[in-house]
Amino acid sequence: KAGVTQTPRYLIKTRGQQVTLSCSPISGHRSVSWYQQTPGQGLQFLFEYFSETQRNKGNFPGRFSGRQFSNSRSEMNVSTLELGDSALYLCASSKTLAGQETQYFGPGTRLLVL
Amino acid sequence: SQELEQSPQSLIVQEGKNLTINCTSSKTLYGLYWYKQKYGEGLIFLMMLQKGGEEKSHEKITAKLDEKKQQSSLHITASQPSHAGIYLCGADGNGNKLVFGAGTILRVKS
């Protein structure tokens, strides 16, 4: 079974630009969560989608948004990029929304904002 | 909100030695996950503990959950260079949201 895939793997943008990251979950998984990982803040939850609806949201500004498609693939968008948005963005998938269900992570997209 | 504290922050061990990493929660643990991460890469799921007193093993890695202490420990026996990486504990937040510890960097000297 193929794992979680993320594209692109690496991205360089400049301040003020916007970026869209993509995540394809494991086949059969309907929940997709996004996390931001930085050396200073560690791994932080961004948001979670299930059946095309955002179910949970972390403490990030409105510049960070996402969506999920009917095939469970998800995209994350960051507008008006800031230097501090440079990070490894990870998505994870699980079968359902139920708590205590293992989330499987993709390889991540490393974003560098210049 | 729940916070997870991992100790030690980093660890250097000689190949073949045993080691333990701890994860302590500020709140009651309902589910505790251990992941391993190679620098700059995604997280690899190691194991999940759900009940107090539960202990799971995978190859040379054993994890335990002490519900009363709100703590989990990850023990590696006879460490190998392949064990090197960052070990992260995560706990169930609200719904499917995971809260993570800061991670423990493990280096194994051969």
Side-chain angles (χ1 to χ4, degrees), chain A residues 104, chain B residues 34-36 44-49 54-64 73-80 82-83 87:
Chain A
Y104 295 91
Chain B
W34 283 101
Y35 289 88
K36 178 186 173 185
I44 300 167
F45 171 72
L46 294 175
M47 54 193 87
M48 172 189 163
L49 304 166
E54 187 173 15
E55 180 176 320
K56 287 187 177 178
S57 293
H58 176 67
E59 297 180 344
K60 293 185 178 179
I61 301 176
T62 301
K64 299 179 186 179
S73 61
L74 185 84
H75 184 77
I76 298 178
T77 304
S79 58
Q80 301 169 356
S82 61
H83 288 129
Y87 288 82

Side-chain angles (χ1 to χ4, degrees), chain B residues 8-27:
Chain B
Q9 287 185 328
S10 64
L11 200 51
I12 303 175
V13 298
Q14 191 69 39
E15 183 177 357
K17 294 293 186 184
N18 303 336
L19 63 108
T20 300
I21 298 169
N22 292 308
C23 174
T24 304
S25 173
S26 60
K27 293 187 176 182

Side-chain angles (χ1 to χ4, degrees), chain A residues 31 35 37 43 45 48 56 88 90 94 96-107 110, chain B residues 30-31 33 35 37 39-45 48 50 88 92 94-98 100-101:
Chain A
S31 170
Y35 294 83
Q37 187 177 36
L43 257 171
F45 174 79
E48 177 190 18
N56 212 339
L88 180 67
L90 295 161
S94 59
T96 71
L97 265 182
Q100 297 186 27
E101 187 166 300
T102 300
Q103 292 186 34
Y104 295 91
F105 284 78
R110 182 162 293 282
Chain B
Y30 293 105
Y33 304 80
Y35 289 88
Q37 183 180 30
Y39 180 75
E41 298 180 8
L43 277 63
I44 300 167
F45 171 72
M48 172 189 163
Q50 288 179 285
L88 292 143
D92 281 321
N94 179 22
N96 245 359
K97 166 187 173 181
L98 282 178
F100 285 92

Side-chain angles (χ1 to χ4, degrees), chain A residues 33-93:
Chain A
S33 298
W34 288 89
Y35 294 83
Q36 181 197 64
Q37 187 177 36
T38 60
Q41 300 297 319
L43 257 171
Q44 291 187 295
F45 174 79
L46 279 157
F47 30 63
E48 177 190 18
Y49 286 86
F50 182 83
S51 292
E52 303 177 63
T53 303
Q54 187 180 92
R55 301 289 182 153
N56 212 339
K57 193 176 188 306
N59 297 322
F60 279 82
R63 300 186 295 108
F64 291 81
S65 64
R67 59 177 175 167
Q68 187 179 35
F69 302 95
S70 58
N71 62 357
S72 294
R73 188 177 71 86
S74 177
E75 286 182 348
M76 190 191 99
N77 185 274
V78 188
S79 62
T80 320
L81 284 166
E82 299 176 1
L83 295 179
D85 297 334
S86 295
L88 180 67
Y89 289 88
L90 295 161
C91 83
S93 76

